[in-house]
Amino acid sequence: MRRMKLTSPGVRAALGWAVAVVLILAWQLAAVTGESLFFPPPTEILAAGYQLWFSAGLENGVLTDAFHVDVVPSLERLVIGVLIAVAVGVSLGVLLGRVRVVAQFVEPLLHFMRALPGPVLLPMALVLLGTGNEMRIALITFGAIWPVLFNTYSAVRQVPESYLDTATVSRRTSASTLFRVILPSASAGIFAGIRTATGLGIILLVASELVASSDGIGFGLMQSQRSFQFLEMWAFIVALSILGYITTLLLSALERLFLRWHHLYKAVVA
Amino acid sequence: MTEALLVVDGLRHVYQTEEGEHVVLDGLSLTVNRGEFVSIVGPSGCGKTTLLRALSGLLKPTSGTVSLAGEAINGVPKGLAMVFQDYRGSLFPWRKVGANVEFPLLGRVGAEERRNRVRESLEAVGLENFAGRYPWQLSGGMQQRVAIARAIAMRPQLMLMDEPFASVDAQTRSDLEDLVLRVRELYDMTILFVTHDVDESVYLSDRVLSLSKSPTVLTADTAVPLPVPRDQIRSRENPVFVSTRSEIAQLIRRAKPAGLYGPGEAIPTTSNFAVPVLR
């Protein structure tokens, strides 16, 4: 009832963009009139970002060397860290969801560990794993694994008994039941976990790069701030938000691909 | 000529509850011959579903044996298909109709043969044009037809049906009943059909087995000497239909725990069709 009012999806999207454009224009206007050193106008930030990362020219592949130092390492860490979190989180979640005994023993411990904010582990990770990529990836994985694990766990436990009965009377092997029944049935829940995990992953990525690093977006952000290059600092901030936006788009695309049935299904059944 | 396909001997199942043991099935024995259509009816809560779950291998009975085609079964036997009451819960919403029908064949039957069987089974239930839809885009009756097509695709020796038409409307129900009779004819299938509807059991079956209240035993084995093919109007007007149905209805109304008669009640000796199997 509440969503009947204004909005077809198209209108809503247009409104969203319009608001964004108005806000950016206001920012531009305020920055130009204010002339503060710390708040450069968006046009200058974009120009600085372009200069920094995309000015190598078409013949050199557009991306500058700085892009490979500032952005690429971050992307690698994020992708590897989140992928490991997904692989381990889904496996553990399925194990916990399917084997009651394991869940009974391990669940309290897992809740305890989940309660730890990821950045808190940074000092320990530095000592244990050093200052290399492993430490940063481990930290991202540690932070990102929980939503995947717990969402998988609860989604797997909610797989209807009747689906499992159907698999059993069809004489499926356990592997076949896992991949053809349990995981598809739990996929929407798992996917929600992956979305949250990716968001947390970005936070931990930056946190891990603020300390003892020599490249990446977090490092660049820190470095430009320390050297009073506020335009660059803002460029890094904008780069981060764009990274977040792109991952959201990417996940939405994946979701449309794999969970199309689920959206249609919910619309029909609800 | 008659060859026993399913033989159940002394099937007993006890649930452990907090108040102690709860006997659901108390030594059930029955036989279904190859090619027969046998229904099981009983008062509500008589353990029909427990019985079917034990027969399909979904539940391990406390004691007793079940054998299919001469082989004692342990777990889900080969050559058995099951149609559940809850079609929504037994069709996978992420698989399209064709893919749902194909599901039990995956990894067992070659791709070519799978395609053929899916097409053939969907044709048998009149859904050949719906293979590319999702099951939840279809009506309840159509969804149950998909479940029947999936059972057919397995080419089972025995098809178990657990109150398959309990959640569809009356018109759809009689259509589905005739569909099952047609499919049975077409594939020469043996069917064990659980229902709470006496009319349905008489209309469909060669024999009707009636159950007592739990602890459940078999109370009677009633032949249905109605001519085939059955017809929704004519068969139901047939005096044989009427008398058989009232006989079975009485068996169910008189059903007591563990038998037909309370202590001290007289046991009648004559019956047209029903063979009492009780002391």
Side-chain angles (χ1 to χ4, degrees):
Chain A
M1 301 133 234
R2 79 195 134 79
R3 64 195 167 91
M4 293 308 285
K5 277 189 183 162
L6 235 178
T7 40
S8 73
V11 175
R12 248 183 309 181
L15 270 177
W17 281 105
V19 169
V21 168
V22 167
L23 284 178
I24 289 172
L25 282 177
W27 179 9
Q28 176 79 19
L29 204 67
V32 170
T33 48
E35 288 185 349
S36 160
L37 191 59
F38 306 113
F39 292 101
T43 45
E44 281 180 38
I45 296 171
L46 283 182
Y50 173 79
Q51 190 58 38
L52 208 50
W53 296 313
F54 302 104
S55 60
L58 271 180
E59 63 278 16
N60 296 321
V62 181
L63 304 176
T64 62
D65 291 345
F67 185 85
H68 288 281
V69 176
D70 293 335
V71 182
V72 173
S74 294
L75 288 180
E76 281 175 8
R77 288 166 193 149
L78 181 66
V79 169
I80 297 175
V82 170
L83 281 182
I84 296 176
V86 168
V88 179
V90 169
S91 312
L92 277 178
V94 168
L95 183 71
L96 253 62
R98 296 300 307 158
V99 189
R100 183 99 26 104
V101 189
V102 177
Q104 275 168 353
F105 281 110
V106 183
E107 213 185 326
L109 177 69
L110 290 178
H111 282 294
F112 178 75
M113 282 168 65
R114 175 171 70 158
L116 280 176
V120 165
L121 292 175
L122 191 54
M124 194 186 74
L126 271 171
V127 175
L128 284 180
L129 300 170
T131 58
N133 251 350
E134 301 77 25
M135 179 278 277
R136 291 172 228 285
I137 289 172
L139 199 72
I140 293 169
T141 299
F142 180 86
I145 200 167
W146 307 111
V148 179
L149 198 163
F150 282 100
N151 272 43
T152 305
Y153 174 40
S154 105
V156 163
R157 277 185 11 156
Q158 283 166 25
V159 173
E161 213 48 50
S162 59
Y163 291 174
L164 301 172
D165 284 350
T166 300
T168 309
V169 293
S170 305
R171 294 172 49 243
R172 305 317 313 183
T173 58
S174 4
S176 175
T177 302
L178 174 64
F179 288 108
R180 294 190 195 280
V181 179
I182 295 173
L183 287 179
S185 175
S187 56
I190 295 174
F191 215 90
I194 295 176
R195 273 174 177 281
T196 317
T198 309
L200 284 173
I202 293 176
I203 295 174
L204 285 157
L205 167 73
V206 178
S208 79
E209 286 175 348
L210 290 177
V211 186
S213 63
S214 56
D215 53 16
I217 297 179
F219 169 74
L221 182 65
M222 204 64 176
Q223 201 62 14
S224 49
Q225 181 254 333
R226 281 186 181 146
S227 51
F228 303 101
Q229 299 187 305
F230 296 114
L231 259 183
E232 273 78 25
M233 185 192 80
W234 276 99
F236 277 104
I237 294 175
V238 170
L240 259 180
S241 71
I242 290 176
L243 174 66
Y245 186 66
I246 289 175
T247 53
T248 306
L249 285 185
L250 215 69
L251 287 173
S252 298
L254 280 177
E255 196 171 336
R256 265 200 303 281
L257 194 66
F258 289 113
L259 288 173
R260 216 174 82 84
W261 69 269
H262 188 257
H263 293 292
L264 298 169
Y265 175 62
K266 271 201 323 205
V268 169
V269 174
Chain B
M1 190 64 214
T2 54
E3 177 203 347
L5 178 64
L6 176 78
V7 179
V8 179
D9 190 28
L11 196 67
R12 190 178 144 83
H13 191 71
V14 181
Y15 285 115
Q16 300 295 340
T17 64
E18 281 179 17
E19 294 94 56
E21 295 193 336
H22 175 61
V23 181
V24 191
L25 305 177
D26 196 9
L28 264 174
S29 300
L30 60 94
T31 302
V32 178
N33 295 320
R34 201 177 279 278
E36 258 189 325
F37 195 125
V38 175
S39 285
I40 293 180
V41 293
S44 50
C46 74
K48 292 187 290 258
T49 299
T50 306
L51 171 62
L52 221 50
R53 289 180 72 83
L55 297 186
S56 61
L58 283 171
L59 174 140
K60 193 171 161 38
T62 311
S63 64
T65 59
V66 178
S67 63
L68 186 69
E71 263 178 73
I73 59 173
N74 206 348
V76 180
K78 245 185 182 161
L80 181 137
M82 175 124 169
V83 177
F84 295 91
Q85 175 183 346
D86 174 20
Y87 46 81
R88 267 190 207 90
S90 85
L91 297 173
F92 301 126
W94 57 90
R95 298 183 83 92
K96 293 184 174 167
V97 165
N100 262 293
V101 174
E102 190 186 24
F103 176 74
L105 308 177
L106 293 168
R108 284 208 184 88
V109 177
E112 172 88 35
E113 169 80 0
R114 280 209 304 269
R115 260 197 307 283
N116 289 338
R117 282 211 210 169
V118 168
R119 185 166 26 79
E120 203 185 308
S121 311
L122 283 174
E123 270 169 21
V125 300
L127 289 179
E128 61 274 18
N129 295 326
F130 294 87
R133 299 278 196 92
Y134 283 106
W136 36 266
Q137 293 173 317
L138 310 180
S139 70
M142 287 162 95
Q143 291 182 48
Q144 197 54 292
R145 274 149 71 190
V146 176
I148 293 170
R150 181 177 60 194
I152 298 171
M154 293 172 81
R155 300 282 159 80
Q157 303 190 62
L158 176 68
M159 182 151 89
L160 298 179
M161 305 185 85
D162 183 9
E163 304 198 24
F165 312 140
S167 26
V168 297
D169 63 80
Q171 180 58 47
T172 308
R173 185 178 190 132
S174 54
D175 290 347
L176 286 173
E177 287 166 1
D178 289 336
L179 176 94
V180 167
L181 288 177
R182 264 204 320 278
V183 160
R184 177 216 180 187
E185 202 65 37
L186 201 60
Y187 291 93
D188 204 15
M189 246 190 293
T190 310
I191 298 179
L192 184 60
F193 191 98
V194 169
T195 177
H196 60 255
D197 183 325
V198 176
D199 286 47
E200 183 171 79
S201 73
V202 174
Y203 177 69
L204 291 171
S205 312
D206 302 321
R207 270 194 301 141
V208 178
L209 305 175
S210 42
L211 302 179
S212 72
K213 290 188 175 166
S214 90
T216 302
V217 295
L218 207 59
T219 56
D221 179 344
T222 312
V224 183
L226 258 185
V228 282
R230 308 274 161 93
D231 176 274
Q232 288 285 0
I233 311 289
R234 268 177 291 125
S235 296
R236 288 174 195 269
E237 286 170 351
N238 191 319
V240 174
F241 180 92
V242 179
S243 57
T244 314
R245 93 164 277 295
S246 67
E247 180 139 358
I248 293 165
Q250 278 184 44
L251 284 166
I252 291 170
R253 188 183 304 168
R254 291 207 312 254
K256 300 273 170 4
L260 276 184
Y261 308 100
E265 261 183 273
I267 297 176
T269 47
T270 55
S271 160
N272 287 339
F273 311 111
V275 182
V277 292
L278 280 178
R279 55 261 173 196

